Amino acid sequence: MRGPRPLPTTFLFGCAYVLSFVDRQILSLLIGPVKADLHLNDFQFAVLNGFAFAVLYSVLGLPISMLADRFPRPPIIVGGLALWSLSTIGCGLSDGFWGLFFCRMGVGIGEAALVPAVYSFLADIVPPARLGRIIALFSAGSFLGAGLAYLSGGLLMDVLHAGAVPGGLVPWKFCFVIVGLPGLLLAAVIALFVHEPSTRGAIEARAGLMKTYEFIVGQKWLFPLHFLGYSCSAIMLFSLMAWSPAYLMRVMAMPHGTVGGVMGAIAIVCGCGGIYTSGRLIDALTTRGIVQGPMIVGAGGMAGAALMFLASALCGKGNAGLVFFALAFFFASFPMAPSAFVIQTVSPRAMRAQISAIMLLCNALIGLSAGSMLIGMLDDRVFTAADGIRYALPIVAVTASMAGALMIAGTAPFYLKRHRALSHAP
C-alpha cells in the first residue's frame, strides 16, 4: 500500500486546523447575544471563552500525545475532530451557563488531540528538506481560521437575523450548529483517506513519560530555552490576536464596524504569508548547510515583530501605524514553523508528539493565559486612561518578544550538538 502523500494529507490536516480556530474563536464574536440570552455577566463570559476551553486543552494534551506516540494517529485525530465539532454543535443547543461550560470543555479536549499528533505524523511522511514549509502550510490554518472567524462571524449573524432560523433556534445558537457541522464531514474524509504510514514501524520502542523526561534533561538547555523562548513568542502572537480589536479602536480610532474586516484581512494575509515565508526560509537555510537556520528564522521573526509593533505604537493613528501593525503580525507568525521543526527533527520518533504537547502546554499557560492577563491588569490598574492599551500591550508584547529572541538564539549551540550526534548515529 502506498504511504500517505504529504501535500493532500497536509491539506486535510490544515482544513482541520482552520475549523479548530473557527470553532474556538466563534464564541468571542457572539458575546452580545450570548450574554443577553443566558443572562451572563462579564466574568462568566470570560470563564466560558477562556478558562473552560483552555483548562483541559492544556492539561490533556500530554496524555493524548502519549497515545499518539504509541498508537495509530489518524483515529486519534479523527476522534478529536469529531469531539470538538459535536461539542461546538452542543454549544448551540445549550440553555444555560453550565451546559455551555461543559460543551466548551469538550471543544478544548477535542482540539488537544490535533496538533501534537499531526506534527508527529507529518515528520514521518515528509523529507527533512521540505519539512519546514509543510509544517508552515499546516500551521497557516490557525491564521486562516482566525481570519475567517473575524470576517464571517458578524456577517453570519446579520444573515440569520434577516431571515427565519431553522429549528426555532435563536441566531447565535444556529451559528454554533453551522460552524460545527463541517468538522463531522471532514472527520469522515480523514478517516477514509489518511492511514498510518508503514514506515513508522511497530518494532520501535514505546516511550513513556519518564523516558521522554530523561531525554529532555539529557539535552541540557536545548528544551528549557526552546520552551520558554517560544512561549515568549506566543505572548506576542496571542496578545496581538486577543487585544488587537481593542487596540485598533482605542489607539487608532478605527470604527467598530471596520475592525472585523481589517483584522480578518491582516490575520489571513500577514499571518499566513508570514508563517509560509518562515517555513521556506528554514528549508532554504538548512538545504544550504546552515544548521542553525531555525534559530535564525525564529529569533529574527521575534525581533522583527517587536520592532514593527514598537514603530506602530509610536506612530499611533494613521496609515503608517496600521502598516507597521500589519508587519508586526507578519513577523509574529514566524516562530510557529521553527518551533515545531526543531522538535520534530531532534526528538526520537517515539517522543515527538509528547514533546510537542509539552510545548503547547507552555504556550497555553504562558502565552495564552499569563500574557493576556498581565496586559489586562496593566490596563486596569496602571494605565487607567481610556487608551491605556496603547502602553500595556506594547510593554508586554515587545518585552516578551525580545526576551524570546535571546532565548531562541541561545539554543543554537545545543541544537548544533544534537544535530551532529544524529548525523553520526548509525
Side-chain angles (χ1 to χ4, degrees):
M1 182 183 297
R2 186 171 60 179
R5 290 183 293 172
L7 283 179
T9 303
T10 303
F11 174 76
L12 290 176
F13 289 160
C15 288
Y17 210 23
V18 169
L19 293 179
S20 77
F21 265 77
V22 172
D23 291 358
R24 183 187 309 187
Q25 294 284 106
I26 193 67
L27 180 60
S28 63
L29 301 171
L30 304 175
I31 179 172
V34 171
K35 285 181 60 180
D37 281 6
L38 300 184
H39 307 291
L40 305 178
N41 57 35
D42 284 337
F43 176 77
Q44 288 175 309
F45 188 84
V47 169
L48 292 174
N49 195 35
F51 178 79
F53 170 86
V55 62
L56 291 184
Y57 173 79
S58 59
V59 172
L60 290 183
L62 188 55
I64 294 175
S65 70
M66 293 175 66
L67 296 177
D69 279 333
R70 292 170 176 265
F71 301 101
R73 290 157 292 190
I76 295 173
I77 294 168
V78 168
L81 175 53
L83 175 59
W84 91 60
S85 300
L86 288 171
S87 298
T88 301
I89 295 172
C91 289
L93 304 178
S94 301
D95 291 321
F97 172 84
W98 287 109
L100 200 53
F101 181 91
F102 288 115
C103 286
R104 286 289 290 174
M105 290 180 70
V107 175
I109 296 170
E111 292 193 16
L114 179 67
V115 174
V118 167
Y119 282 160
S120 172
F121 191 96
L122 293 178
D124 279 347
I125 66 171
V126 178
R130 298 176 57 206
L131 184 58
R133 75 191 73 176
I134 291 295
I135 286 178
L137 283 172
F138 166 73
S139 302
S142 61
F143 297 104
L144 184 57
L148 289 175
Y150 281 123
L151 290 171
S152 63
L155 178 63
L156 183 58
M157 284 292 291
D158 290 341
V159 170
L160 293 176
H161 274 299
V165 178
L169 296 174
V170 296
W172 70 263
K173 291 189 174 186
F174 196 63
C175 277
F176 277 111
V177 176
I178 290 176
V179 301
L181 286 174
L184 298 178
L185 176 61
L186 181 60
V189 172
I190 293 176
L192 287 173
F193 294 104
V194 180
H195 307 285
E196 188 72 17
S198 58
T199 54
R200 192 182 195 192
I203 61 173
E204 187 169 350
R206 306 303 187 186
L209 191 56
M210 280 306 301
K211 286 186 178 180
T212 302
Y213 170 76
E214 291 170 1
F215 170 74
I216 290 174
V217 171
Q219 302 308 308
K220 305 297 181 182
W221 284 98
L222 173 59
F223 284 106
L225 288 174
H226 184 90
F227 294 152
L228 289 175
Y230 283 108
S231 293
C232 286
S233 79
I235 291 178
M236 164 63 88
L237 183 57
F238 288 141
S239 296
L240 286 179
M241 296 183 73
W243 290 96
S244 285
Y247 183 83
L248 293 177
M249 287 186 287
R250 299 175 195 175
V251 177
M252 298 189 176
M254 188 173 291
H256 185 274
T258 308
V259 169
V262 171
M263 277 304 303
I266 290 176
I268 293 174
V269 175
C270 296
C272 294
I275 195 169
Y276 185 68
T277 301
S278 169
R280 291 302 298 262
L281 286 173
I282 292 172
D283 288 345
L285 291 172
T286 53
T287 300
R288 286 167 173 78
I290 304 175
V291 177
Q292 300 94 329
M295 286 79 238
I296 296 172
V297 174
M302 292 184 211
L307 293 175
M308 292 300 103
F309 192 60
L310 186 59
S312 175
L314 293 174
C315 289
K317 299 179 184 178
N319 292 333
L322 188 59
V323 169
F324 281 122
F325 178 84
L327 288 173
F329 213 100
F330 175 81
F331 285 110
S333 68
F334 268 42
M336 291 186 71
S339 170
F341 180 91
V342 169
I343 289 175
Q344 303 311 313
T345 53
V346 303
S347 304
R349 182 179 295 180
M351 300 178 184
R352 287 172 180 164
Q354 294 175 66
I355 297 177
S356 296
I358 296 172
M359 179 76 258
L360 292 177
L361 173 63
C362 294
N363 280 352
L365 296 180
I366 298 174
L368 182 59
S369 301
S372 184
M373 289 189 295
L374 181 57
I375 292 170
M377 184 186 71
L378 289 175
D379 194 31
D380 285 340
R381 300 184 181 182
V382 180
F383 306 110
T384 56
D387 64 344
I389 193 72
R390 174 196 300 270
Y391 308 103
L393 179 54
I395 285 174
V396 174
V398 171
T399 302
S401 197
M402 292 305 298
L406 292 174
M407 283 186 271
I408 293 308
T411 65
F414 303 101
Y415 179 74
L416 182 60
K417 180 180 178 181
R418 174 62 178 168
H419 183 270
R420 287 172 175 168
L422 290 173
S423 299
H424 293 91

